[in-house]
């Protein structure tokens, strides 16, 4: 049988294909894999043959592949594929490394049993290990790999591998010496070397190591340091590393400083948009200053800070995207360098198309209405930054992953395309819990969807798993136990009508509470207290004074209905009360970037909640009513009267109170401000001020016992009957800080005036999408009163403490705070001490 | 114990194959595919693999698992370019991709991918029996992109009262007509462009007003020339009257 080379490009029909060589794959498998099939027409030599060989090579299973034309019979060609399997790794032995690290090395370098051993694998493993240990400071690491061929019992080629690693001693730099420097001391140059450090037991964070690549970089930094000081000809003449002992090396660097240069005249050429004087103001370099190339470069374009005040940004933020600034030295006589900044301004650039990609869930219109860069607009970096910020505040996209891509720049036309890339993130929350408390099982089901689509609610195809993408919010909450049930539903559409950001929101809630029946030990359904409410609101983003302002208005109605139910709230057990109020609020929020962890900006709001002044027009003489009530109250409280008379009096008081509370009459004013500032590094300070006041139009009718402020604790809106507002004040028990009245008595129905100051220092630990975690430390103080006469805003209950917050998209915000109350609770004398607060879904 | 259950537990690949095929022919695609998936690795590289991977892909298709169907058909086309089923597989891969294309107002990555797949299918098999359907589906996908672009341009006009940016809709409409010259929305697009220009002119400062009024006027005539019976003309006529009146101010003063 004679093997002959194939003649060129002749058409054949494929006859049999045979497989020879040394392989454990079946011939059939190899032929199928090669893509050749018996009976097909091929050219020899031709594409199909080389393609077949290439395919077999890409399998990475063979070490040698050849294809032969065995013979031809007429136009039928017989082929032979000869190939040899690559040897497999049988046994691996690693010497010189701790046992615990061996598994890591096996996975990192992919040295599992059965892997095909190629030259490439051996070399990459060797390089990988050498690099790995050199990076850890073992400069003298040596790695040897031996392979031993061992065919296994079935004749398959196999290989045993021995990995010998000799890490040697850890090498430290005990000395760094400089020669040839006269203007700058050694210490300054050593400091310039950011990664290669001399041994020093005081330095804890950066250990002395010798790593070749870092060292090379550091040599550059030394030269840069000299250049910053006017020695622009500075260079390293020689550097050597000498071994002191096995563990220590010394580095000797010889530099040549050259002459020190100074700036001469700096002139601007080609600037038409800005005057020389304006540009000089940004450059801030004067004639006679020591020449500093690095500073000059930074003032022209600072690569390290994207929002720096430099000449490039001055042009970039005003549409001149294609502007270039080119510093040229025109004269260097007498070590004084005259500079020319040659500016090519180019055309101002306008956005041509502006697109958004990656919105797999959210509809276009929900996104495009938030853009501050629109087609036809002048390019502005600042507007791009603002758009990114506002897109991230929507909460539908991962703030860390919002990207901007500039496409098709056209300097001649002055146009560019801008594409925002977004990545959708989960914005729905589900709460399902069951628990035992209050004498029975309590079940809660809460659903909240932040990117809901109401119009698709009857479209079965949109349920993935709920209709999403229209930027609406929908929340449902059901809670039930034997003794009470609450249902609430709320819906928000941020752009009602789609023309303007007019937010429409509505919520409906109903709760029913039953009294405990001691005879059955169960809820007594005949003794109940129902509260039903509905709120409809509109909020509008304003453009004046600036477009961070929001004006909101709402009308709310609540109906309280009692049946055989005596509470401390009402003096009557059967009756009703209505609360119809109008709320108007003005707020300004320019916090950025991430709503969970703002790093700057402020959030300020003022609201007023008002009822109608019924007493003006309902014809009831409240002065007389209150006298009558006082009289009945006296009879009721007089222990000398008989029970019948006292009960009658109590009923009369109840009847008068029913008249007083038929329609609640009040006004309530609240103010709140939070400021976020970056202190240093990643530390953010949040400072906050709050104030609230509840008043009555008609003093005789009195301030209502509803809607009051309760200070203390975590501030979570616990279940309450009376529309109270829980104001957080850590370091004290929930709602414990009741006002003290003029006669030093502690009241228990909340305050009508309060104020609070707080400071919080925050530090982010993780800002990843799956979990945002930050630590915080706080100091705060607040106080509430029942009367302006007693009011002293600085007589505070103070506290301080620390805590942590975790935000996970599926759970919302969770946290725990430990607070220490420095002041005594009302009626007590010693400081309140430590309190632990659990925070769910709410920000202080 | 049914035949299927027995086959599922059987160690013989041949049994699984025959039972799977039987189930496939009976329209029980989910069950058939379970068997096919068990034996796919066994037959990999063998001649039976061709039919098996076609059946496997087809099962995904019938189960409406479009993503996997598209992927597996594509792999089939790559692996068996000489198969008699390759034309059908290429078409079904594209059609599965078509099924993945979302509503026009969301990311259209899948839509573009499906268009590309259909395009290469049409280029490769111009005589295929599937061509009419392919053409129809491609038109549908193209229209989706058109509708998306128009929706965005139109929204710039809708929110212009809030953004005070009347240039954005004009520019966006220009881009839209440039990208989709044959669009069915052309008439409405012309009106939106005129409406935006009208508002820009009416709300303009004195120094720029005349030019902007003239621009708006020219857009009006573009609309009127192209669509003499346009439903928008009634509205547009009222706006042009106002523009003419404003323009009189300039002519009388000069």
């Amino acid at each position: 049988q004679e093997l002959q080379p194939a003649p060129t490009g002749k058409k054949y029909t494929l006859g049999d294909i045979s497989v020879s060589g040394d392989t454990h794959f079946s011939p059939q498998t190899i032929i199928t894999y090669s893509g050749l099939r018996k009976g097909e027409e091929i050219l020899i030599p031709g594409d199909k043959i080389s393609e077949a060989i290439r395919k077999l090579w890409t399998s990475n299973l063979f070490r040698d592949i050849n294809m032969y034309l065995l013979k031809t019979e007429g136009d039928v060609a017989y082929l032979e594929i000869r190939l040899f399997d690559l040897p497999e790794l049988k046994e691996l032995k690693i010497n010189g490394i701790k046992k615990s690290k061996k598994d890591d090395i096996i996975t990192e370098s992919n040295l599992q049993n059965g892997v095909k051993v190629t030259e490439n694998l051996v070399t990459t493993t060797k390089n990988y290990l050498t690099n790995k240990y050199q990076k850890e400071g073992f400069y003298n690491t040596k790695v040897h790999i031996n392979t031993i061929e061992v065919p296994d019992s079935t004749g398959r080629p196999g290989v045993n591998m021995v990995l010998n690693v000799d890490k040697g001693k850890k090498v430290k730099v005990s000395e760094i010496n400089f020669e040839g420097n006269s203007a700058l001391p050694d210490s300054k140059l050593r400091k310039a070397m950011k990664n290669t450090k001399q041994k020093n037991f005081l330095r804890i964070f950066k250990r002395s190591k010798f790593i070749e690549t870092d060292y090379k970089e550091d040599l550059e930094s030394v030269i840069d340091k000299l250049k910053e000081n006017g020695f622009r000809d500075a260079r390293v003449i020689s550097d050597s590393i000498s071994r002191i002992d096995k563990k220590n090396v010394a580095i000797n660097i010889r530099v040549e400083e050259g002459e020190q240069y100074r700036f001469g005249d700096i002139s601007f050429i080609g600037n038409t948009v800005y005057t020389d004087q304006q540009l000089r103001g940004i450059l801030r370099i004067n004639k006679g200053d020591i020449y500093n190339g690095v500073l000059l470069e930074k003032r022209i374009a600072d690569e390290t800070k994207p929002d720096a005040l430099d000449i490039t940004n001055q042009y970039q933020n005003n549409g001149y995207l294609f502007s270039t600034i080119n510093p040229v030295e025109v004269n260097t006589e007498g070590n004084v360098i005259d500079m020319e900044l040659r500016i090519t301004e180019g055309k101002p650039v306008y956005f041509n198309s502006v697109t958004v990609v990656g919105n797999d869930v959210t509809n276009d219109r929900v996104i495009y209405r938030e853009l501050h860069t629109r087609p036809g607009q002048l390019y502005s970096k600042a507007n791009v930054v603002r758009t990114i910020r506002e897109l991230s505040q929507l909460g539908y996209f991962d703030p860390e992953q919002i990207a901007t891509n500039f496409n098709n720049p056209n300097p001649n036309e002055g146009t560019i395309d801008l594409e925002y890339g977004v990545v959708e993130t989960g914005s729905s929350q589900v709460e399902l819990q069951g628990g035992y408390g209050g004498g029975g099982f309590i079940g809660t089901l809460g659903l909240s969807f932040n990117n809901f689509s109401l119009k698709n609610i009857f479209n079965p195809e949109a349920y993935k798993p709920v209709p999403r993408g229209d930027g609406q919010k929908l929340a449902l909450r059901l809670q039930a136990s034997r003794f009470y049930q609450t249902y609430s539903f709320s819906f928000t559409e941020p752009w009602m009508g789609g023309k303007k950001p007019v937010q429409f929101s509505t919520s409906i809630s109903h709760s029913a509470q039953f009294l405990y029946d001691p005879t059955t030990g169960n809820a007594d359904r005949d003794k109940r207290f129902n509260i039903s409410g509905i709120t409809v609101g509109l909020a509008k983003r304003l453009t004046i004074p600036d477009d961070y302002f929001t004006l909101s208005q709402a009308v709310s109605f609540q109906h309280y209905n009692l049946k055989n139910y005596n509470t401390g709230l009402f003096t009557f057990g059967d009756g009703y009360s209505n609360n119809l109020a109008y709320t108007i609020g003005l707020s300004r929020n320019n916090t950025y970037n991430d709503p969970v962890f703002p790093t700057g900006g402020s959030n300020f709001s003022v609201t007023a909640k008002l009822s109608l002044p019924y007493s003006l027009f309902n014809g009831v003489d409240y002065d007389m009513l209150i006298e009558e009530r006082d009289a009945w109250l006296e009879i009721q409280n007089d222990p000398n009267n008989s029970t019948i008379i006292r009960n009658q009096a109590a009923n009369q008081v109840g009847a008068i109170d029913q008249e007083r509370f038929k329609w609640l009459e009040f006004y309530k004013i609240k103010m709140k401000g939070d400021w976020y500032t970056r202190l240093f590094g990643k530390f953010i300070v949040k400072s906050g001020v709050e104030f609230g006041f509840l008043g009555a139009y008609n003093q005789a009718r009195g301030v209502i016992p509803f809607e009051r402020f309760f200070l203390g604790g975590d501030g979570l809106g616990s279940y309450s009957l009376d529309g109270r507002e829980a104001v957080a004040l850590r370091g004290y028990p929930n709602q414990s800080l009741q006002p003290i009245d003029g006669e030093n008595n502690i009241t228990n129905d909340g305050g009508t005036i309060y104020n609070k100051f707080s400071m919080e220092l925050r530090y982010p630990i993780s800002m990843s999408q799956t979990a945002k975690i930050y630590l915080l430390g706080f100091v705060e103080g607040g106080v509430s009163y029942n009367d302006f006469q007693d009011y002293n805003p600085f007589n505070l209950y103070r506290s301080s403490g620390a805590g942590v917050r975790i935000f996970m998209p599926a759970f919302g915000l969770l946290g725990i705070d430990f607070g220490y109350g420095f002041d005594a609770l009302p009626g007590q004398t010693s400081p309140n001490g430590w309190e632990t607060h659990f925070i769910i879904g709410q920000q202080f | 114990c049914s035949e299927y259950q027995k086959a599922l537990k059987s160690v013989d690949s041949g049994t699984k194959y025959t039972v799977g095929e039987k189930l496939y022919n009976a329209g029980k695609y989910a069950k058939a595919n379970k068997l096919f998936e068990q034996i796919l690795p066994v037959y990999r590289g063998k001649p039976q693999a061709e039919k098996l991977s076609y059946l496997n892909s087809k099962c995904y298709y019938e189960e409406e698992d479009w993503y996997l169907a598209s992927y597996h058909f594509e792999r089939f086309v790559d692996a068996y370019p000489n198969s008699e089923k390759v034309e059908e597989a290429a078409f079904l891969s594209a059609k599965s991709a078509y099924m993945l294309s979302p509503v026009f107002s969301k990311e259209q990555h899948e839509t573009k991918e499906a268009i590309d797949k259909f395009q290469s299918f049409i280029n490769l098999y111009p005589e295929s029996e599937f061509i009419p359907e392919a053409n129809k589906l491609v038109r549908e996908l193209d229209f989706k992109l058109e509708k998306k672009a128009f929706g965005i341009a139109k929204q710039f006009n809708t929110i212009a009262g809030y953004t005070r940016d009347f240039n954005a809709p004009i520019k966006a409409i220009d881009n839209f007509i440039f990208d989709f010259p044959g669009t069915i929305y052309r008439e409405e697009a012309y009106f939106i462009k005129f409406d935006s220009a009208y508002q820009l002119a009416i709300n303009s400062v004195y120094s720029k007003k005349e030019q902007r009024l003239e621009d708006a006027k020219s857009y009006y005539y573009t609309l009127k020339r192209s669509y003499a019976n346009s439903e928008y003309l009634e509205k547009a006529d009222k706006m042009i009257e106002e523009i003419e009146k404003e323009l009189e101010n300039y002519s009388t003063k000069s």
Side-chain angles (χ1 to χ4, degrees):
Chain A
Q1 189 180 14
E2 192 188 331
L3 301 174
Q4 53 186 30
T8 39
K10 202 179 158 214
K11 197 178 256 182
Y12 289 97
T13 309
L14 263 185
D16 261 333
I17 305 166
S18 56
V19 175
S20 65
D22 184 10
T23 172
H24 75 282
F25 294 102
S26 78
Q28 209 177 36
T29 307
I30 287 170
I31 294 165
T32 315
Y33 196 87
S34 74
L36 298 171
R37 55 168 69 190
K38 193 176 167 180
E40 80 176 318
E41 288 204 334
I42 61 163
L43 286 174
I44 298 180
D47 277 1
K48 287 225 167 130
I49 298 284
S50 26
E51 175 66 10
I53 295 177
R54 195 189 62 79
K55 262 194 176 170
L56 289 167
W57 271 121
T58 52
S59 70
N60 272 332
L61 293 168
F62 309 105
R63 69 179 156 86
D64 194 12
I65 302 166
N66 288 296
M67 205 171 286
Y68 299 101
L69 179 61
L70 281 182
K71 58 177 175 182
T72 54
E73 280 175 7
D75 60 350
V76 180
Y78 293 87
L79 292 181
E80 178 186 325
I81 301 173
R82 171 177 291 186
L83 31 64
F84 297 91
D85 282 0
L86 271 173
E88 281 180 8
L89 181 62
K90 294 278 168 222
E91 245 178 74
L92 176 71
K93 222 174 153 187
I94 304 179
N95 297 324
I97 289 171
K98 272 193 217 151
K99 232 181 189 168
S100 55
K101 303 272 167 158
K102 283 183 184 172
D103 282 344
D104 288 350
I105 288 180
I106 290 172
T107 44
E108 281 163 14
S109 330
N110 216 359
L111 292 175
Q112 287 86 355
N113 273 0
V115 80
K116 304 282 173 187
V117 179
T118 60
E119 273 302 309
N120 182 41
L121 181 77
V122 173
T123 322
T124 45
T125 307
K126 189 172 169 175
N127 288 342
Y128 170 76
L129 287 175
T130 316
N131 269 332
K132 179 183 160 98
Y133 288 109
Q134 282 192 347
K135 263 192 192 156
E136 287 174 17
F138 297 95
Y139 181 60
N140 298 321
T141 304
K142 290 189 180 69
V143 178
H144 290 288
I145 299 179
N146 290 333
T147 51
I148 306 140
E149 288 198 22
V150 276
D152 69 0
S153 54
T154 60
R156 274 205 229 176
V159 157
N160 285 351
M161 195 189 266
V162 183
L163 257 176
N164 284 317
V165 182
D166 177 12
K167 290 200 286 190
K169 290 270 192 237
K170 208 172 219 179
V171 172
K172 293 193 174 181
V173 182
S174 62
E175 291 172 33
I176 303 177
N177 301 313
F178 289 94
E179 261 181 85
N181 52 323
S182 56
L184 291 182
D186 285 10
S187 60
K188 275 220 167 146
L189 295 180
R190 263 186 226 123
K191 211 175 166 189
M193 301 180 79
K194 288 277 175 264
N195 295 307
T196 312
K197 296 287 185 192
Q198 201 169 289
K199 251 170 43 177
N200 182 348
F201 69 95
L202 283 177
R203 191 163 14 80
I204 310 164
F205 294 114
K206 192 112 201 170
R207 278 160 47 217
S208 164
K209 280 182 208 168
F210 184 79
I211 299 160
E212 188 90 36
T213 47
D214 289 348
Y215 170 64
K216 292 276 178 257
E217 251 173 55
D218 283 347
L219 282 183
E220 298 283 319
S221 326
V222 169
I223 299 301
D224 282 348
K225 187 79 203 171
L226 285 165
K227 284 185 174 168
E228 279 173 32
N229 287 282
F231 301 100
R232 62 175 202 128
D233 299 333
R235 60 195 180 113
V236 171
I237 299 176
S238 67
D239 67 293
S240 62
I241 299 146
S242 58
R243 184 176 274 218
I244 293 176
D245 51 37
K246 272 188 181 169
K247 286 183 177 177
N248 291 297
V249 293
I251 300 175
N252 295 303
I253 302 169
R254 212 182 147 88
V255 297
E256 188 182 80
E257 286 180 339
E259 306 269 347
Q260 194 174 34
Y261 289 79
R262 284 174 186 279
F263 279 111
D265 289 316
I266 301 174
S267 49
F268 297 94
I269 293 178
N271 50 323
T272 61
V273 191
Y274 300 106
T275 64
D276 283 9
Q277 206 171 358
Q278 283 171 320
L279 294 178
R280 229 175 271 285
I282 300 168
L283 196 62
R284 288 164 286 159
I285 292 175
N286 297 315
K287 189 175 176 176
D289 288 356
I290 288 176
Y291 181 83
N292 182 346
V294 180
L295 182 71
L296 179 73
E297 216 165 274
K298 273 193 176 178
R299 294 285 159 79
I300 291 169
D302 191 343
E303 303 288 342
T304 55
K305 264 195 278 172
D307 51 354
L309 177 62
D310 56 41
I311 298 179
T312 306
N313 270 354
Q314 182 67 25
Y315 277 104
Q316 292 286 320
N317 280 343
N318 291 288
Y320 292 89
L321 180 65
F322 298 117
S323 59
T324 55
I325 296 131
N326 205 0
V328 179
E329 301 178 0
V330 286
N331 190 4
T332 57
E333 228 171 278
N335 296 346
V336 172
I337 301 177
D338 292 338
M339 303 281 310
E340 256 179 31
L341 296 191
R342 297 182 185 163
I343 299 170
T344 322
E345 292 178 334
K347 276 194 169 186
V349 174
Y350 293 85
F351 290 118
N352 180 35
S353 81
V354 179
T355 48
V356 179
V357 295
N359 52 321
D360 297 323
V361 173
T362 311
N363 285 311
D364 284 341
R365 61 193 164 77
V366 177
I367 307 167
Y368 281 82
R369 63 197 186 193
E370 303 292 337
L371 301 185
H372 289 275
T373 53
R374 285 177 287 267
Q377 253 184 7
L378 192 63
Y379 167 85
S380 155
K381 207 163 128 186
N383 279 347
V384 175
V385 172
R386 179 168 178 196
T387 304
I388 295 174
R389 189 175 73 212
E390 294 196 358
L391 286 180
S392 66
Q393 275 175 346
L394 287 175
Y396 315 145
F397 310 117
D398 182 351
E400 314 282 317
Q401 288 191 58
I402 296 179
T404 50
N405 308 315
F406 291 98
N407 302 320
N408 306 325
N410 185 341
N412 295 330
E413 299 268 324
T415 58
I416 195 160
D417 293 345
L418 170 57
E419 179 186 274
Y420 291 98
V422 296
V423 179
E424 301 267 0
T425 173
S427 51
S428 304
Q429 291 171 16
V430 178
E431 177 195 7
L432 183 62
Q433 63 178 41
Y436 199 81
F441 178 80
I442 303 172
T444 308
L445 170 68
L447 298 169
S448 115
F449 309 110
N450 277 336
N451 192 0
F452 197 73
S453 173
L454 190 68
K455 85 172 176 235
N456 279 321
I457 200 159
F458 296 116
N459 176 5
E461 277 179 28
Y463 278 79
K464 299 174 193 170
V466 287
R468 290 193 292 161
D470 277 348
Q472 297 158 338
K473 282 195 183 102
L474 184 87
L476 266 174
R477 201 178 150 85
L478 314 171
Q479 189 167 47
S481 78
R482 275 194 301 173
F483 297 98
Y484 70 89
Q485 295 153 9
T486 63
Y487 314 96
S488 66
F489 163 85
S490 72
F491 172 76
T492 307
E493 159 64 61
W495 276 65
M496 198 166 66
K499 285 189 174 178
K500 284 188 176 113
V502 175
Q503 177 179 289
F504 168 81
S505 59
T506 181
S507 67
I508 299 169
S509 69
H510 176 77
S511 73
Q513 170 133 345
F514 307 104
L515 265 191
Y516 177 74
D517 186 341
T519 55
T520 63
N522 214 327
D524 185 348
R525 303 252 154 186
D526 289 331
K527 296 181 176 173
R528 55 143 184 81
F529 181 18
N530 286 353
I531 307 175
S532 319
I534 180 166
T535 305
V536 178
L538 278 181
K540 200 170 141 186
R541 248 189 261 171
L542 301 181
T543 45
I544 301 162
D546 67 32
D547 45 8
Y548 294 116
F549 275 93
T550 305
L551 175 72
S552 58
Q553 299 176 73
V555 174
S556 60
F557 174 73
Q558 262 162 325
H559 178 73
Y560 303 84
N561 199 322
L562 296 126
K563 191 178 166 199
N564 281 325
Y565 194 105
N566 285 300
T567 69
L569 203 58
F570 296 103
T571 45
F572 48 88
D574 278 289
Y576 68 94
S577 175
N578 293 313
N579 183 352
L580 175 67
Y582 166 72
T583 309
I584 182 163
L586 186 66
S587 67
R588 181 179 190 275
N589 183 355
N590 69 338
T591 57
Y592 51 88
N593 270 340
D594 188 341
V596 175
F597 188 80
T599 53
S602 64
N603 190 355
F604 185 77
S605 70
V606 186
T607 58
K609 189 173 182 183
L610 319 158
S611 73
L612 288 171
Y614 305 101
S615 53
L616 274 184
F617 50 76
N618 66 359
V620 178
D621 185 345
Y622 287 98
D623 286 322
M624 223 175 77
L625 214 59
I626 206 84
E627 272 173 37
E628 203 180 313
R629 185 179 187 272
D630 285 343
W632 285 113
L633 210 58
E634 213 168 295
I635 299 172
Q636 184 193 345
N637 290 340
D638 187 346
N640 297 330
N641 290 329
S642 75
T643 324
I644 299 171
I645 292 177
R646 285 175 66 184
N647 278 347
Q648 255 174 4
N651 284 341
Q652 288 298 332
V653 171
I656 292 170
D657 280 351
Q658 167 70 76
E659 177 61 35
R660 278 172 70 208
F661 297 145
K662 212 193 287 177
W663 290 92
L664 296 177
E665 186 180 308
F666 66 98
Y667 66 95
K668 182 156 90 170
I669 291 161
K670 285 189 292 178
M671 281 183 248
K672 193 174 174 187
D674 291 320
W675 289 262
Y676 298 88
T677 14
R678 187 185 289 274
L679 204 59
F680 53 85
K682 287 177 169 175
F683 284 94
I684 307 292
V685 170
K686 177 196 173 199
S687 23
V689 174
E690 280 177 56
F691 168 81
F693 175 67
L694 176 70
Y697 302 122
N698 185 329
Q699 293 312 321
R701 200 172 172 182
V703 181
I704 54 165
F706 290 74
E707 299 274 351
R708 294 194 174 196
F709 306 107
F710 287 76
L711 258 68
D714 53 28
L716 296 181
S718 58
Y719 177 73
S720 70
L721 304 173
D722 50 6
R724 64 174 60 179
E725 287 195 39
V727 178
L729 188 61
R730 288 165 282 187
Y732 297 94
N734 283 353
Q735 306 183 6
S736 62
L737 303 177
Q738 300 281 352
I740 293 171
D741 68 13
E743 286 132 40
N744 261 336
N745 294 319
I746 308 157
T747 58
N748 63 4
D749 53 359
T752 59
I753 313 170
Y754 90 95
N755 63 288
K756 179 187 161 187
F757 307 98
S758 68
M759 280 270 231
E760 202 168 283
L761 182 67
R762 298 174 165 191
Y763 182 78
I765 292 178
S766 155
M767 283 290 117
S768 78
Q769 197 47 40
T770 42
K772 295 177 181 171
I773 306 171
Y774 65 87
L775 295 177
L776 61 91
F778 65 87
V779 278
E780 58 190 13
V783 65
S784 68
Y785 290 97
N786 259 339
D787 207 318
F788 257 120
Q789 284 165 354
D790 310 324
Y791 183 56
N792 176 358
F794 299 108
N795 186 17
L796 301 170
Y797 290 96
R798 295 155 302 172
S799 69
S800 146
V804 61
R805 294 283 181 284
I806 301 173
F807 177 86
M808 283 178 284
F811 301 104
L813 189 82
L814 303 171
I816 183 166
D817 280 344
F818 303 98
Y820 185 86
F822 293 108
D823 293 289
L825 287 178
Q828 294 185 7
T829 48
S830 58
N832 183 55
W834 288 102
E835 292 281 342
T836 307
H837 307 283
F838 295 95
I839 287 93
I840 302 165
Q842 176 241 21
Q843 301 244 39
F844 275 91
Chain B
C1 219
S2 71
E3 197 180 14
Y4 166 68
Q5 289 295 342
K6 269 185 204 156
L8 209 54
K9 286 178 194 136
S10 160
V11 282
D12 177 32
S13 306
T15 315
K16 290 183 192 234
Y17 190 100
T18 23
V19 174
E21 203 176 1
K22 213 155 131 195
L23 286 164
Y24 172 86
N25 289 331
K28 302 255 192 314
Y29 299 107
K31 281 182 177 172
N33 213 8
K34 229 173 195 168
L35 292 172
F36 291 153
E37 271 168 10
Q38 283 184 341
I39 51 174
L40 260 172
V42 183
Y43 283 108
R44 183 155 296 144
K46 306 224 168 86
Q48 295 95 318
E50 179 184 327
K51 185 166 187 196
L52 194 57
S53 60
Y54 170 80
L55 291 177
N56 173 240
S57 315
K58 193 70 189 287
C59 282
Y60 283 124
Y61 181 83
E62 296 290 349
E63 284 174 65
E64 304 195 350
D65 191 337
W66 307 121
Y67 187 80
L68 285 177
S70 179
Y71 172 74
H72 283 290
F73 272 127
E74 195 179 325
R75 275 187 49 169
F76 178 85
V77 171
D78 284 346
Y80 308 101
N82 302 316
S83 165
E84 55 181 19
K85 289 286 189 187
V86 70
E87 180 184 318
E88 187 193 347
F91 173 72
L92 290 180
S93 172
K95 193 173 174 183
S96 305
Y98 159 87
M99 294 295 190
L100 284 172
S101 162
V103 57
F104 76 94
S105 57
K106 296 180 182 178
E107 163 72 53
Q108 293 301 301
H109 168 75
E110 287 90 349
T111 310
K112 287 172 193 155
E113 214 167 80
I115 291 176
D116 286 347
K117 279 192 169 177
F118 275 124
Q119 199 54 59
S120 56
F121 169 76
I122 292 169
N123 292 345
L124 270 174
Y125 309 100
E127 305 294 325
S128 167
E129 51 169 322
F130 301 113
I131 287 291
E133 193 181 354
N135 280 331
K136 182 183 148 250
L137 297 180
V138 165
R139 265 199 302 279
E140 215 174 290
L141 293 169
D142 276 335
F143 180 64
K144 232 181 224 185
L145 297 180
E146 180 182 325
K147 198 170 172 188
K148 179 188 180 79
F150 181 66
I152 291 165
K154 190 176 174 182
Q155 191 195 14
F156 282 125
N157 172 269
T158 313
I159 62 171
Y162 164 67
T163 61
R164 312 304 295 169
D165 185 352
F166 299 101
N167 270 318
I170 298 175
K171 179 75 191 159
I173 289 286
D174 281 346
N175 285 345
F176 168 69
I177 291 178
F178 182 81
D179 290 340
F180 302 93
T183 173
I184 61 157
Y185 294 114
R186 186 182 272 263
E187 181 182 344
E188 194 180 351
Y190 279 162
F191 175 72
I192 288 171
K193 190 173 165 186
F194 167 60
D195 178 63
S196 310
Y198 159 81
Q199 291 190 58
L200 176 67
I202 295 293
N203 291 304
S204 182
V205 292
Y206 185 81
S207 60
K208 292 182 179 167
K209 199 166 194 171
E210 187 178 6
Q211 181 57 45
R212 286 175 175 175
L213 288 168
E214 290 291 352
D215 286 348
K217 199 169 145 184
S218 78
Y219 299 153
Y220 169 78
Y221 285 111
T222 314
L223 170 69
K224 196 168 180 178
R225 251 198 324 276
S226 311
Y227 302 96
N229 302 316
S230 172
E231 53 174 311
Y232 301 105
L233 273 183
E234 195 182 333
K235 246 171 144 180
D237 283 341
K238 275 185 199 144
M239 284 145 73
I240 197 72
E241 256 174 54
E242 200 179 333
I243 288 172
E244 295 285 5
K245 216 192 259 167
E246 289 274 340
L247 275 173
E248 273 169 28
N249 292 337
Y250 289 90
S251 55
T252 49
K253 266 174 203 161
S254 58

